[in-house]
Amino acid sequence: MLIDLHAHSSASDGTESPAELMQAARAAGLDVVALTDHDTTSGWSEAAEAVPAGMTLVRGTEISCAVGGVSLHLLAYLFDPEHAELRAELDLAFDDRIPRAQAIVARLGEAGHPITWQHVLDQLEPGATVGRPHIADALVAVGVVPDRSTAFADLLHNGSRFFVDHYAVEPVRAVQLVRAAGGVAVFAHPAASHRGRTVDESVIHDLADAGLAGLEVDHRDNPPEARERLRGIAAERGLLVTGSSDYHGSGKPNRLGENSTDPEVFAALVAQATGTDVVAA
């Protein structure tokens, strides 16, 4: 089985609709794919209706978190999307992304870059989670940069003078809420240092104490030496080890199935979830 537990659609910052993502997953030979858009479940229904025969969909989200001034992401799977406290946290992050993005655009404009908020909206599907990738796409559209990667490298990285933060839940609380909603949480790309600062090992232990299910170890943004360290922590704490692509369509070079999760690990994740079921066609 080929299992990819981290993919984005146009419900957040992917370039394919949830239905198109299901077809792309089938074309890539996946048996299981997880839809994990940022701070939203808005793509769940469309994806569920479009699962190809013989394939399984895992419904999830990628939750924006922060601790000690460091951003991190949690992949939450198979939770009840109507759980009130978890829904409130997702809505806070979703809603705060709009003024944050507007502030980034304003800073870019003040620096002489020919970009407006309308340019960003032109890159966004109705109801989608707005983020820096949409600003990057707007910068491409107006000719400032050639692609998303350059936009992030030159203008939109965490240390940029244009950077503005947004609301993010404390990760221990996020893990607890995911568990309360019947879901399971996996720490996404924990060692992705090129994105900015990463948390130290003590945070992983705090998350494990709170009910973290696993670590996304096999991800292109985790360096090889870090992967071995993460495997050691996972073994020490009894955490599952997953692998995923973090696919965004044409928005990133990441390809579906470039990293995958062992079927036994996947079964163990599903066994822990009581919030919602996988969708098998």
Side-chain angles (χ1 to χ4, degrees), residues 40-52:
T40 186
T41 59
S42 65
W44 281 20
S45 295
E46 180 182 334
E49 292 172 0
V51 181

Side-chain angles (χ1 to χ4, degrees), residues 28 67 70 98 153 159 170 191 193 211 221 226 231 240-241 260 268 272 274:
V67 59
V70 180
I98 297 171
E170 199 279 331
S193 56
D221 291 348
R231 289 185 200 281
L240 299 169
V241 170
S260 61
Q272 294 183 36
T274 60

Side-chain angles (χ1 to χ4, degrees), residues 191-214:
S193 56
H194 83 278
R195 297 174 180 232
R197 293 167 57 201
T198 58
V199 298
D200 61 33
E201 187 174 322
S202 66
V203 173
I204 298 178
H205 288 290
D206 290 342
L207 296 178
D209 291 341
L212 185 73

Side-chain angles (χ1 to χ4, degrees), residues 146-207:
D147 52 45
R148 270 191 188 183
S149 296
T150 304
F152 272 88
D154 294 352
L155 300 170
L156 299 177
H157 58 86
N158 287 5
S160 165
R161 64 191 174 105
F162 306 112
F163 179 78
V164 178
D165 217 338
H166 67 85
Y167 176 81
V169 63
E170 199 279 331
V172 165
R173 174 166 168 75
V175 169
Q176 292 169 338
L177 288 176
V178 171
R179 284 292 189 186
V184 289
V186 171
F187 188 169
H189 40 69
S193 56
H194 83 278
R195 297 174 180 232
R197 293 167 57 201
T198 58
V199 298
D200 61 33
E201 187 174 322
S202 66
V203 173
I204 298 178
H205 288 290
D206 290 342
L207 296 178

